[in-house]
Amino acid sequence: MGVRRRLAAVIPLAVAEIVATVSAHARGTGSPDAETVYIVTARQTYDAAGLLAREATAWKDSLGRELVIAQLDPLQIGALSRHVHEREQRCGGFFAFASRPEAEAFIVRDRTAEAIALPLGGLYTIDNQATVGPWLAQVSEANIHATITTLSAFRNRYYASPYGRQAAEWIRDSWQALAAERDDATVELFQGCSNCSTQPSVILTVRGAELPDEVVVLGGHLDSITSAFSVPVPDLEQPAPGADDDASGIATLTEIIRISLASGWKPRRTVKFMGYAAEEVGLRGSAAIANRFRDDGINVIGVLQLDMTNYRQNVGRDLRIVSDFSNTALTTYFAELFDAYLVPLGGVRSALACNYGCSDHASWTSAGFPAGMVFEAGRPQNPNNPWDLGAFQSIHSTADTLANMGNSASNSVRFAQFGLAFAGELGKTYDGAEDAIFSDDFEVVVD
């Protein structure tokens, strides 16, 4: 249950008049960011961003973490977005809603503490080497590079621009082509997000042959953004290549899909691959899907998020496992999978805390599902900057290009191998045998 108290009553009159003028102008343009947005963010982020909000109230989530609900006009949304992107050097950082009741309901229904503590170790086994092992050598850097090239060639993939929808449709068509020979696979555009403008999410579902009601999810976000969009009236023609953030994640997912489906793999559990809409403006697409799954009682047993997989500079690691806002048993499983499959290939892992709501896995965690994220190797972190996550410093700019990552997708190869291990081991392989070798006594249902 969220705890609420008043933070600030009214911003100064002069500022209020400026904001009102900006908002009125934006509404007159029909801009998708014209209307007031209600955000939920960490109190630390809210304070550091220096926001002035007409109605800001303090809350706590199920972990006791200090949060803020604030009514923001476009000017303040831009300031918050720039702070998260430029100072905290990460994606996400806040959840966005169309109304205060929606934002309050989100905190009241928060299941983060429950999701983190779910004891699912009995489900997280490693015994499917016969399927996973042959997959790993098939990962193609050239394929991942080609997908990143195509996605970053869209003028932008901003959620409210026509290019944002075109990119989603291109991903749908690409995934449909990879699943064309499979009668157990379907691809859809998920359009059940009320604040994602015209950008849908993309979902490819491979139905489980034995335990179809147990669901495994692998996802990444398909939209892109630059600081030029963080203004009251964004120019929807602004370039935002987003090669690392997050064309690399979608390209990695696409390679996982290609290899696993081409092998003839039939999972025992249902496996869903997702390209989320509107992550960069408040985790909107993933929140809509996770909340729908919660309301429908869908039994999701594990979620892997791939957000930025391709940047590595002067570090000895290949991949970092995000420790916060993640299910404890699942992050332990991530480490075990990495050690079983990637360490023998020379892989090196480390850990990372990425702060509140840093990507789409946070939507699943807040909805009560076990979720986690792996993040790119990055660069050495600045010990004098507590916000520095060692991320690619060109994210959210026109310089987020393959050219600025050595014109190579080699760093994403490890992530594709890891994702294949996750999908194969948690989805398992159906061989027609009646004596299932793993238990079906576990159920994760969020009511």
Side-chain angles (χ1 to χ4, degrees):
M1 177 69 71
V3 179
R4 175 184 180 181
R5 68 180 186 274
R6 192 69 168 261
L7 253 183
V10 188
I11 60 176
L13 179 60
V15 176
E17 290 173 346
I18 293 171
V19 170
T21 300
V22 169
S23 299
H25 172 70
R27 279 190 289 272
T29 68
S31 164
D33 288 329
E35 302 301 330
T36 296
V37 172
Y38 295 81
I39 59 99
V40 175
T41 192
R43 175 67 184 269
Q44 181 184 29
T45 294
Y46 178 85
D47 289 345
L51 300 177
L52 294 171
R54 288 178 297 185
E55 287 287 336
T57 53
W59 291 69
K60 290 186 178 181
D61 65 9
S62 58
L63 287 174
R65 191 184 342 244
E66 291 191 357
L67 305 178
V68 172
I69 293 178
Q71 176 186 351
L72 300 185
D73 287 287
L75 197 61
Q76 279 73 52
I77 287 288
L80 176 60
S81 180
R82 283 192 298 274
H83 167 80
V84 171
H85 294 167
E86 296 172 9
R87 184 175 177 189
E88 299 188 13
Q89 298 177 8
R90 62 191 179 98
C91 292
F94 63 97
F95 293 88
F97 303 90
S99 69
R100 181 174 292 277
E102 290 179 74
E104 293 178 348
F106 170 79
I107 297 180
V108 170
R109 299 182 71 184
D110 175 65
R111 301 292 182 85
T112 298
E114 174 186 330
I116 288 174
L118 284 170
L120 299 168
L123 283 178
Y124 299 150
T125 59
I126 300 177
D127 50 27
N128 199 22
Q129 290 90 344
T131 292
V132 175
W135 284 348
L136 304 189
Q138 299 177 45
V139 175
S140 166
E141 184 272 341
N143 286 343
I144 299 172
H145 186 284
T147 302
I148 295 174
T149 298
T150 298
L151 286 172
S152 58
F154 283 93
R155 188 162 188 83
N156 60 66
R157 302 187 304 279
Y158 187 61
Y159 83 112
S161 79
Y163 311 110
R165 182 175 182 88
Q166 291 167 16
E169 292 171 344
W170 182 88
I171 294 167
R172 176 201 59 192
D173 294 345
S174 298
W175 290 3
Q176 281 180 334
L178 294 174
E181 304 301 319
R182 300 290 298 258
D183 59 9
D184 59 346
T186 58
V187 183
E188 63 181 302
L189 294 179
F190 179 89
Q191 304 190 85
C193 176
S194 62
N195 61 344
C196 290
S197 188
T198 59
Q199 186 174 66
S201 296
V202 185
I203 302 176
L204 186 160
T205 300
V206 186
R207 183 172 175 80
E210 186 175 351
L211 296 172
D213 294 332
E214 294 184 5
V215 178
V216 178
V217 174
L218 294 84
H221 70 89
L222 63 89
D223 61 321
S224 69
I225 197 170
T226 70
S227 294
F229 287 101
S230 302
V231 295
V233 187
D235 176 2
L236 300 184
E237 294 296 318
Q238 287 286 337
D244 191 31
D245 186 17
D246 183 34
S248 65
I250 296 297
T252 300
L253 283 172
T254 302
E255 184 67 352
I256 295 167
I257 294 167
R258 181 189 73 83
I259 292 168
S260 59
L261 294 190
S263 74
W265 173 59
K266 290 187 177 297
R268 289 184 171 181
R269 297 182 170 112
T270 294
V271 179
K272 291 179 177 283
F273 300 90
M274 300 188 181
Y276 304 116
E279 185 268 357
E280 298 284 13
V281 288
L283 312 180
R284 301 183 189 192
S286 59
I289 295 172
N291 292 336
R292 172 75 63 83
F293 278 38
R294 176 193 59 203
D295 294 343
D296 291 348
I298 294 176
N299 184 22
V300 177
I301 65 167
V303 178
L304 169 64
Q305 174 71 359
L306 297 171
D307 188 348
M308 300 169 60
T309 66
N310 200 49
Y311 178 70
R312 176 184 177 185
Q313 187 71 38
N314 300 324
V315 292
R317 61 196 176 225
D318 295 285
L319 172 153
R320 291 182 281 178
I321 298 173
V322 172
S323 58
D324 52 348
F325 235 88
S326 303
N327 175 264
T328 302
L330 187 59
T331 54
T332 298
Y333 188 51
F334 285 176
E336 293 169 348
L337 285 171
F338 190 97
D339 293 350
Y341 286 106
L342 275 71
V343 167
L345 300 177
V348 178
R349 63 174 171 85
S350 64
L352 174 72
C354 71
N355 302 315
Y356 180 78
C358 74
S359 193
D360 293 304
H361 68 294
S363 295
W364 292 97
T365 301
S366 296
F369 297 107
M373 174 181 168
V374 290
F375 190 62
E376 65 190 6
R379 53 175 173 75
Q381 292 162 255
N382 181 354
N384 297 318
N385 179 6
W387 296 105
D388 187 7
L389 302 181
F392 184 31
Q393 291 178 310
S394 294
I395 62 169
H396 309 124
S397 78
T398 57
D400 183 0
T401 64
L402 273 171
N404 288 324
M405 292 181 283
N407 198 30
S408 169
S410 60
N411 293 319
S412 294
V413 169
R414 287 280 189 248
F415 286 82
Q417 292 170 331
F418 179 82
L420 285 163
F422 176 78
E425 285 290 0
L426 196 51
K428 300 301 183 189
T429 301
Y430 178 69
D431 60 8
E434 295 182 0
D435 53 338
I437 63 172
F438 64 96
S439 171
D440 60 355
D441 294 332
F442 294 86
E443 187 173 15
V444 182
V445 175
V446 181
D447 54 24

